Amino acid sequence: SAPGRDVDYQLTSTGRELFSRLGVEVPAGRRRLVAYCVDWTEQQHHLGGALGAALLARLVDLGWLHRGDRRVLRITEPGHTHLHDQFGIRLEPQRGKAVV
């Protein structure tokens, strides 16, 4: 599949500050904090592990993402605004399209 399985992913101090600024508590526990994870349909890397789950939960709590059926996520209008303001990400809303 996609390269990167052999990389030892770690959260940097800069990354920790970013997550803190978003109100994401860095989880502690036995689950791997940051893990290799590739979307099976598009073969694109995304944040896996406990930190990815914590980020997802926070973005849903903030109302930036909305959970649909199964594994479907929709970016809300406030989500579009805040993702641009916080990260410089500009995504055009697509009616009927989902971010998975």
Side-chain angles (χ1 to χ4, degrees), residues 21 26 28 49 68 81 83-84 91 96 98:
R21 198 174 44 179
V26 176
T81 300
L83 288 170
H84 177 260
L91 300 169

Side-chain angles (χ1 to χ4, degrees), residues 49-67:
L51 190 56
L55 176 61
L56 172 60
R58 179 65 177 147
L59 295 181
V60 169
D61 287 346
L62 288 169
W64 297 9
L65 297 178
H66 174 74
R67 288 181 184 266

Side-chain angles (χ1 to χ4, degrees), residues 17-96:
E17 288 173 23
L18 174 66
F19 283 103
S20 177
R21 198 174 44 179
L22 288 171
V24 176
E25 291 188 30
V26 176
R30 296 189 319 170
R31 183 177 179 188
R32 181 177 284 170
L33 183 62
V34 182
Y36 169 85
C37 197
V38 176
D39 176 82
W40 66 274
T41 57
E42 296 185 26
Q43 292 297 296
Q44 296 293 316
H45 290 272
H46 62 270
L47 181 60
L51 190 56
L55 176 61
L56 172 60
R58 179 65 177 147
L59 295 181
V60 169
D61 287 346
L62 288 169
W64 297 9
L65 297 178
H66 174 74
R67 288 181 184 266
D69 295 334
R70 293 188 242 158
R71 299 172 57 105
V72 175
L73 295 171
R74 298 197 186 281
I75 303 173
T76 64
E77 285 189 38
H80 281 281
T81 300
H82 292 294
L83 288 170
H84 177 260
D85 293 348
Q86 293 289 322
F87 304 107
I89 298 171
R90 183 173 301 281
L91 300 169
E92 296 299 321
Q94 298 177 0
R95 305 274 184 236

